[in-house]
Amino acid sequence: MTGVAGVPAELCAVVLAAGEGTRLRPLTERVPKALCPVGNVPLLDRALARLAGLGLAGPDRVAVNACYLGDQVVAHVGDRAHLSVEPGDPLGTAGGVANLRDWIDGRPVLVGNADAYLADRAAPPGPDLAALLDGWDGRTVRLLGQPAADPAAPGTFAGHCFTGFSLLPWRLVRDLPVVFSDLVRAVWRPAEAAGALTVVPYPGTFFDTGTPADYLAANLHAADGTLVDESATVTGPCVESVVGAGARVDGDVFRTVVWPGATVRAGERLRNVIRAGNDLTVPCTAQG
């Protein structure tokens, strides 16, 4: 039995939003990575919208895990999804799924990373994942991926880099221990060794937003030029930049993300950076 766009009627989804985002510090000392805005939309909201595009919405079909700065995630999600708050330190990608075993309860699960930025000009969010679900037998593992620059590099799967979403059968979720563990070692590599893992290519654009450089690149892609929230005030030059709600830009910004409520003072000249608040400026070098 199937639902929207070939989605199995029993499929549920988990959005992983518990991580600390250490490579994005000091931005993530203020906001969990899942709530960092890309194109003025929190990454977590982009993930939930993509699932809604597949017909997966609400606390019966979608769960979100939280840990680091978890109160912010819980407040942001509200009643839009089932919430799994992990005590202490984050449980990792596999441990986070295992902690939701009772909620998953026999269903196959689509697992997505909140920090994955995906955009396909040929298909809206949700339908852009249709190939991942098409013809799935419910027993194998499927990963969404893109061809790697070095197909033999460590961390690749069938010559592809993982791009944020995977399909897991219940039989592999059922026995996962609720301890810190990751899906790569606990599920994906064993499935690969057993000939039970398939990589489905994603034709669009992907950034994992894990470094300042990739986070900036995702924002610039989402903006497709310059994007200024209608509640922001901009009096200075603003080119190829994203300006969030309530921000004020009196200085000169180029290829810059100005977070909601942030300020760029007259006389400031920002290039390839993230501005948060009144004083935090994070450079976005190619090295991250």
Side-chain angles (χ1 to χ4, degrees), residues 34-77:
L35 298 187
C36 290
V38 169
N40 286 338
V41 178
L43 280 161
L44 180 55
D45 287 354
R46 288 182 174 274
L48 292 174
R50 176 163 275 104
L51 295 176
L54 289 169
L56 299 171
D60 293 333
R61 300 294 299 277
V62 178
V64 175
N65 74 336
C67 185
Y68 175 73
L69 298 180
D71 290 348
Q72 291 187 40
V73 175
V74 169
H76 189 80
V77 171

Side-chain angles (χ1 to χ4, degrees), residues 185-206:
R185 295 176 182 85
V187 178
W188 299 347
R189 290 303 185 195
E192 182 181 47
L197 181 143
T198 302
V199 178
V200 177
Y202 183 72
T205 297
F206 163 74

Side-chain angles (χ1 to χ4, degrees), residues 35-243:
L35 298 187
C36 290
V38 169
N40 286 338
V41 178
L43 280 161
L44 180 55
D45 287 354
R46 288 182 174 274
L48 292 174
R50 176 163 275 104
L51 295 176
L54 289 169
L56 299 171
D60 293 333
R61 300 294 299 277
V62 178
V64 175
N65 74 336
C67 185
Y68 175 73
L69 298 180
D71 290 348
Q72 291 187 40
V73 175
V74 169
H76 189 80
V77 171
D79 61 1
R80 291 184 291 164
H82 175 82
L83 283 156
S84 172
V85 181
E86 300 168 7
D89 295 326
L91 286 167
T93 54
V97 172
N99 200 45
L100 280 157
R101 183 186 297 110
D102 290 345
W103 177 84
I104 296 170
D105 192 23
R107 296 179 289 180
V109 57
L110 174 63
V111 180
N113 293 345
D115 58 2
Y117 171 81
L118 298 167
D120 184 355
R121 299 191 188 281
D128 65 339
L129 300 187
L132 184 65
L133 298 161
D134 186 39
W136 186 48
D137 61 8
R139 294 194 54 79
T140 60
V141 172
R142 281 190 175 183
L143 304 183
L144 197 68
Q146 288 188 329
D150 178 2
T156 58
F157 295 85
H160 289 72
C161 295
F162 175 61
T163 57
F165 281 84
S166 64
L167 275 171
L168 307 180
W170 166 247
R171 66 182 180 84
L172 296 182
V173 171
R174 180 182 54 216
D175 298 325
L176 288 175
V178 185
V179 297
F180 177 81
S181 55
D182 64 78
L183 287 171
V184 175
R185 295 176 182 85
V187 178
W188 299 347
R189 290 303 185 195
E192 182 181 47
L197 181 143
T198 302
V199 178
V200 177
Y202 183 72
T205 297
F206 163 74
F207 294 102
D208 75 357
T209 72
T211 66
D214 282 343
Y215 175 71
L216 174 62
N219 268 278
L220 298 181
H221 185 274
D224 194 22
T226 297
L227 177 63
V228 178
D229 187 90
E230 61 182 11
S231 66
T233 301
V234 176
T235 65
C238 180
V239 179
E240 292 184 37
S241 296
V242 177
V243 181

